[in-house]
């Protein structure tokens, strides 16, 4: 049946789909009709799961940036919940944990390295937290995906982060077994001392073999009781994960390619428990118990060293469309779409993150239980939680399958319901929540986050005043985490040198001419050098060195009223490469770079105490 343009747009608006949006230049862009038609179809036709709750239809939504008074009205979640806000100012390192190796880790940063970094930075430098990348679980078989932001499950932790020698049963291994574990680890320990890329496949193969050896050691009565209690506490979610892992080892890590009978979790789990895969499922259940103990130990080490917050975990915006979470929660996902972002200044072609979006009507009909369960699982990882792309709790950029990112559209969620769910979980856990609200943000959303006690995020390179000048320190938000850069942006040294333009040019990521891009980069750096000199943080009249520039930028952040200051550890050791280059795949070693200095040589955990730039940046961030 033919649907005219006006009717289609009216139906889309009624369902909470934005029919136009403002791009990064401030221009209004009309969403294509075929995009709207695809989204309207899935929103109207989806059969909701039997949750026992009534679906009240699409949320009342904001379809234009018209202000907080037009924000969605809550119908779920916890409308009065407020997350705890940090009592005072603190700073801490932001680290891609896998990149932080030590002399004892197996070619990949682990939870003992996290505990040691937290303890050292708290006791010697006065840090109040450590912000880490998502520790979400990846595939149980190689190839193991590199990106922390495209996991198989956001509920469970990757065993790549286990420190094998800290597992209690390691002490009970026989001499030949210990020798074998040592032999397994030696090539990876040696790799930590090189600049070679992180090899997750080799790390998992080695740790898997070591875990198989440890699995043969009988648990003591006390340990067995603790394992049984862990299994009982996590119930169906843990059973889903373990069954998916067991099946993935046989059929591959994308459930969409499995035999039809295995795509339904309930029938598949019955087959797993009755068949030869039961032992494998039990193995993955046991591994998660081991990981949970080391996660708890890392947070305990941070707090005992004096950190007010401790570990701030990171919750990715979504998971792999064929992964464990997607398999177990199929009824809550919108099929045929991925989540991403429209074009912006640094990603001028837009972004497609390859993640399936949650269905807003299914989520609301379930009383936000899937979101609450997910948030609670991640709050258990430390004393705080960063929400990647927190705008996704209000709206997400849906991209129809086969379309480029620029041809997507915003789909709205019941923001008070989702934000209330998040705040209630944080309040119950006594945990700080930071929302990553970078990019295109509706004006009312930041007010809504602040009202819930959820801190925002401010990135130095994006903060400009009314005349496009660097934003003066006094005008930055108090309830925020501030930092110079993130994993998706070049370090300060690369901005100063201009190498970040060269890198993006060689990768084909520019949509403007090289001359225009370099002129813009030079102007931005010049503006900030002037602002730093104006604050007395750099001498006037000469260009600073990379180290001077980096230290001054963090000293500038210390002049803001922000409650939390995040120090990018890679930036603090002088790294010049981006950890991730959005818009690339195999063209760039995303998420594989070990922590290195400006010369490309590795920097180990043990090297940090004697690293002059690390200490200088820490003093600057602390306001010293």
């Amino acid at each position: 049946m033919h649907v005219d343009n006006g009717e289609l747009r009216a139906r889309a608006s009624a369902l909470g789909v934005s029919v136009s949006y403002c791009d990064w230049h401030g221009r209004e862009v009309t969403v294509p009709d075929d995009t709207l038609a695809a989204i309207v179809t899935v929103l109207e036709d989806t059969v909701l799961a039997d949750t026992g709750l009534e679906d009240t239809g699409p949320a009342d939504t904001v379809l234009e940036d018209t202000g907080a008074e037009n924000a969605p009205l809550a119908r779920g979640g916890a409308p009065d919940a407020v997350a705890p806000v940090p009592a005072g100012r603190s700073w801490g390192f932001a680290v891609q944990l896998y990149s932080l190796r030590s002399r004892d880790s197996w070619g990949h940063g682990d939870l003992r390295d996290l505990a040691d970094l937290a303890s050292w930075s708290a006791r010697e430098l006065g840090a109040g937290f450590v912000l880490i990348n998502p520790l979400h679980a990846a595939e149980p078989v190689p190839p193991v995906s590199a990106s922390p932001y495209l996991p198989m499950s956001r509920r469970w932790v990757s065993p790549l982060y286990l420190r094998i020698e800290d597992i209690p049963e390691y002490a009970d291994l026989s001499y030949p077994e210990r020798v074998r574990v040592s032999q397994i680890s030696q090539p990876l320990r040696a790799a930590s001392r090189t600049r070679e890329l992180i090899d997750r496949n080799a790390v998992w193969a080695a740790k898997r073999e070591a875990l198989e050896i440890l699995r043969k050691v009988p648990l003591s009565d006390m340990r067995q009781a603790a394992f049984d209690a862990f299994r009982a506490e996590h119930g169906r979610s843990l059973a889903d994960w373990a069954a998916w892992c067991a099946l993935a080892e046989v059929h591959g890590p994308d459930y969409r390619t499995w035999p039809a009978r295995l795509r339904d979790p309930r029938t598949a789990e019955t087959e797993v428990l009755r068949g030869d895969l039961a032992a494998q499922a039990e193995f993955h259940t046991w591994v998660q118990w081991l990981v949970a103990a080391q996660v708890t130990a890392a947070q305990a080490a941070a707090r005992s060293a004096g950190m007010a917050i401790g570990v701030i975990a990171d919750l990715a915006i979504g998971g792999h469309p064929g992964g464990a979470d997607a398999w177990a929660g199929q009824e809550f996902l919108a099929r045929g779409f991925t989540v991403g972002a429209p074009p912006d200044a640094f990603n001028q072609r837009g972004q497609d993150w390859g993640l399936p979006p949650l269905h807003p009507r299914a989520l609301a009909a379930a009383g936000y239980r899937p979101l609450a369960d997910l948030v609670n699982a991640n709050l258990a990882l430390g004393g705080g939680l960063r929400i990647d792309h927190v705008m996704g709790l209000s709206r997400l950029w849906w991209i129809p399958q086969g379309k480029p990112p620029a041809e997507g559209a915003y789909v709205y969620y019941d923001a008070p319901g989702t934000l209330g769910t998040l705040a209630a979980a944080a309040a119950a856990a006594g945990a700080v929540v930071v929302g990553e609200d970078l990019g295109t943000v509706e004006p009312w959303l930041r007010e809504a986050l602040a009202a819930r006690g959820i801190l925002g995020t401010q990135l130095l390179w994006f903060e400009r005043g009314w005349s496009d000048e660097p934003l003066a320190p006094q005008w930055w938000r108090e309830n925020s985490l501030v930092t110079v850069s993130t994993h998706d942006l070049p370090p300060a040294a690369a901005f100063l040198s201009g190498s970040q333009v060269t890198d993006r040019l060689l990768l084909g990521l520019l949509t403007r001419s090289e001359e225009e891009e370099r002129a813009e980069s030079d102007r931005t750096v010049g503006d900030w050098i002037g602002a730093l000199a104006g604050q007395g943080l750099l001498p006037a009249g000469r260009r600073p060195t990379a180290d001077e520039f980096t230290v001054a930028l963090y000293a500038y952040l210390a002049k803001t009223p922000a409650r939390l200051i995040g120090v990018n550890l890679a930036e603090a050791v002088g790294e010049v490469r981006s950890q991730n280059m959005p818009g690339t795949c195999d063209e760039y070693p995303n998420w594989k770079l070990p922590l290195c200095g400006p010369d490309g040589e590795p920097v180990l955990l043990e090297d940090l105490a004697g690293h002059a730039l690390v200490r200088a940046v820490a003093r600057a961030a602390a306001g010293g």
Side-chain angles (χ1 to χ4, degrees):
M1 180 181 66
H2 173 73
V3 178
D4 66 40
N5 180 281
E7 180 186 347
L8 174 63
R9 292 180 177 275
R11 286 164 58 193
S13 294
L15 289 164
V17 183
S18 183
V19 299
S20 66
Y21 69 97
C22 288
D23 70 7
W24 58 295
H25 294 294
R27 300 174 302 204
E28 183 176 10
V29 178
T30 299
V31 175
D33 284 356
D34 52 353
T35 295
L36 294 177
I39 297 174
V40 165
T41 297
V42 77
L43 291 180
E44 288 183 338
D45 292 352
T46 298
V47 177
L48 301 179
D50 181 10
T51 61
L53 297 173
E54 179 183 0
D55 170 46
T56 54
D60 299 326
T61 54
V62 182
L63 300 186
E64 299 177 0
D65 293 344
T66 53
E69 69 275 9
N70 292 320
L73 300 175
R75 281 198 307 272
D80 299 322
V82 178
V85 175
R89 154 74 66 84
S90 64
W91 73 273
F93 286 117
V95 58
Q96 297 292 304
L97 182 57
Y98 55 84
S99 73
L100 177 64
R101 289 94 53 89
S102 65
R103 293 188 178 91
D104 292 327
S105 51
W106 294 22
H108 182 288
D110 61 34
L111 289 161
R112 167 58 78 86
D113 294 328
L114 173 59
D116 290 346
L117 175 66
S119 297
W120 168 74
S121 63
R123 291 195 171 102
E124 293 205 18
L125 305 179
F129 63 88
V130 175
L131 172 62
I132 59 174
N133 59 280
L135 302 185
H136 304 325
E139 300 90 336
V141 291
V144 178
S145 299
S147 174
Y149 292 92
L150 187 60
M152 295 295 133
S153 175
R154 295 186 290 166
R155 291 285 303 271
W156 303 102
V157 175
S158 171
L160 287 171
Y161 293 99
L162 275 172
R163 175 65 66 88
I164 295 296
E165 294 84 352
D166 286 356
I167 297 170
E169 284 69 39
Y170 178 81
D172 297 326
L173 292 179
S174 66
Y175 177 74
E177 289 170 330
R178 284 202 187 197
V179 168
R180 179 55 189 156
V181 171
S182 178
Q183 290 172 338
I184 296 168
S185 69
Q186 285 309 312
L188 297 171
R189 292 175 193 260
S192 293
R193 294 173 170 82
T194 75
R195 62 174 71 188
E196 296 300 315
L197 300 178
I198 294 169
D199 187 346
R200 287 173 173 81
N201 293 333
V203 173
W204 177 230
K207 291 194 175 182
R208 176 66 185 256
E209 183 178 345
L211 287 167
E212 295 285 5
I213 293 171
L214 284 161
R215 185 74 180 111
K216 299 173 184 176
V217 179
L219 297 177
S220 68
D221 290 345
M222 183 177 297
R223 292 274 291 164
Q224 184 64 55
F227 180 32
D228 293 342
F230 177 82
R231 188 202 311 273
E233 177 185 357
H234 295 286
R236 171 56 58 192
S237 175
L238 182 58
D240 286 343
W241 166 250
W244 180 88
C245 285
L247 290 165
E249 291 189 17
V250 176
H251 301 285
D254 189 334
Y255 88 87
R256 296 170 299 178
T257 67
W258 293 356
R261 71 184 187 283
L262 300 179
R263 295 176 202 163
D264 181 342
R266 301 290 80 86
T267 58
E269 286 179 13
T270 300
E271 186 167 326
V272 167
L273 294 176
R274 291 177 180 174
D276 297 334
L277 294 179
Q280 291 303 101
E282 180 73 0
F283 171 83
H284 291 288
T285 302
W286 169 75
V287 166
Q288 284 303 315
W289 173 59
L290 299 178
V291 174
Q294 293 193 10
V295 165
T296 299
Q299 172 65 2
R303 293 301 300 271
S304 66
M307 283 190 165
I309 298 174
V311 176
I312 300 180
D314 194 357
L315 176 60
I317 186 63
H320 191 285
D325 289 352
W327 177 68
Q330 297 172 45
E331 65 270 32
F332 300 115
L333 299 177
R335 300 186 184 186
F337 298 87
T338 54
V339 170
D344 61 31
F346 275 90
N347 304 288
Q348 296 169 16
R349 301 183 188 280
Q351 299 179 64
D352 185 340
W353 302 326
L355 310 169
L358 283 169
H359 193 296
R361 294 180 65 196
L363 181 63
Y368 305 95
R369 176 179 50 79
L371 177 62
D373 290 346
L374 177 63
V375 169
N376 284 327
N378 283 272
L379 285 171
L381 303 180
L385 183 62
R386 173 187 178 270
I387 307 296
D388 185 43
H389 195 74
V390 73
M391 296 84 77
L393 295 178
S394 166
R395 67 178 185 178
L396 282 173
W397 184 256
W398 285 27
I399 306 167
Q401 188 173 356
K403 295 284 187 180
E407 295 185 23
Y410 283 114
V411 176
Y412 282 78
Y413 294 75
D414 180 15
T418 56
L419 294 179
T421 298
L422 172 60
V432 172
V433 177
V434 177
E436 186 264 286
D437 57 347
L438 303 174
T440 303
V441 184
E442 296 164 293
W444 64 267
L445 181 58
R446 287 190 172 128
E447 296 177 22
L449 292 172
R452 296 287 191 175
I454 300 167
L455 304 185
T457 301
Q458 290 183 276
L459 186 66
L460 180 137
W461 299 113
F462 295 165
E463 295 302 322
R464 313 290 290 192
W466 288 108
S467 300
D468 200 32
E469 79 284 4
L471 187 65
Q474 67 268 26
W475 300 117
W476 292 51
R477 287 176 281 155
E478 179 180 4
N479 283 354
S480 66
L481 164 73
V482 298
T483 188
V484 172
S485 67
T486 71
H487 52 262
D488 285 338
L489 289 178
F495 271 100
L496 185 67
S497 70
S499 65
Q500 57 95 5
V501 176
T502 303
D503 291 342
R504 290 189 291 136
L505 172 67
L506 294 175
L507 290 166
L509 298 177
L510 302 183
T511 59
R512 298 185 292 185
S513 70
E514 180 184 357
E515 291 73 19
E516 290 177 293
E517 202 70 29
R518 289 198 185 280
E520 176 68 16
S521 177
D522 290 345
R523 183 184 72 83
T524 298
V525 170
D527 286 350
W528 277 105
I529 290 175
L532 296 171
Q535 292 289 329
L537 302 174
L538 282 177
R542 70 171 177 84
R543 192 171 180 83
T545 66
D547 288 0
E548 289 171 338
F549 187 54
T550 300
V551 171
L553 290 172
Y554 281 100
Y556 192 93
L557 295 185
K559 289 179 173 288
T560 73
R563 292 182 182 270
L564 301 180
I565 298 176
V567 174
N568 185 331
L569 184 58
E571 206 157 43
V573 301
E575 175 65 272
V576 296
R577 302 167 298 176
S578 300
Q579 185 59 233
N580 177 52
M581 195 74 76
T584 64
C585 186
D586 296 331
E587 313 97 294
Y588 188 82
N590 296 316
W591 315 112
K592 298 177 183 178
L593 298 175
L595 188 67
C596 291
D599 57 359
E601 291 301 313
V603 177
L604 299 183
L605 175 62
E606 293 86 353
D607 300 329
L608 298 179
H611 201 291
L613 180 57
V614 169
R615 288 187 173 273
V617 170
R619 285 194 299 272

